[in-house]
Amino acid sequence: SEILLAPPDSLAATALDQPVPGECTHYRAAVGGRTYDYTVKTEPAPRLGQAARELNVHAAGAGTVGTSGAGTVDVWTVIYRANGYVGAITLVGAAATRKDLESIARRAYDQAQRSLQ
């Protein structure tokens, strides 16, 4: 998915400068009787705009009581700030990779630069 926003510059800069709080880097949630363990990591971001941030949320299914694991899924996101707007590109799925995310983010950034100037 792709999102483009035009928040105030101070809000955009603050949001990209804040690290993921330590208490948010590991958590557990239950959905539909399945429990998932989440790990959130900040990765080195590609150079896009004035600032960029890359995050990976890895969800590992713990299954239901008495069953085996429910699989894993990754959510990869690049958020960037450029010329008065903020863009976010997200890929979700077991086959989603960091390499694919960065390639798509670069193309989306280039298109936004051409369209929004």
Side-chain angles (χ1 to χ4, degrees):
S1 69
E2 177 180 19
I3 297 172
L4 292 172
L5 305 167
D9 284 339
S10 60
L11 179 62
T14 300
L16 285 172
D17 291 341
Q18 300 298 315
V20 175
E23 64 271 14
C24 296
T25 59
H26 298 284
Y27 59 95
R28 178 175 277 185
V31 178
R34 293 189 185 267
T35 301
Y36 296 87
D37 292 313
Y38 294 86
T39 303
V40 180
K41 292 182 183 176
T42 300
E43 300 287 350
R47 294 179 189 246
L48 299 173
Q50 287 89 25
R53 171 179 237 176
E54 184 172 323
L55 298 170
N56 172 246
V57 178
H58 179 78
T64 57
V65 175
T67 66
S68 61
T72 64
V73 67
D74 280 290
V75 178
W76 289 95
T77 300
V78 167
I79 304 165
Y80 64 87
R81 179 172 53 92
N83 302 326
Y85 68 93
V86 173
I89 307 299
T90 300
L91 291 182
V92 180
T97 67
R98 182 176 182 196
K99 181 179 177 181
D100 290 340
L101 171 71
E102 291 181 2
S103 174
I104 293 167
R106 286 183 199 287
R107 287 184 297 195
Y109 170 77
D110 290 344
Q111 179 62 38
Q113 285 292 96
R114 286 190 299 274
S115 301
L116 298 175
Q117 294 214 10

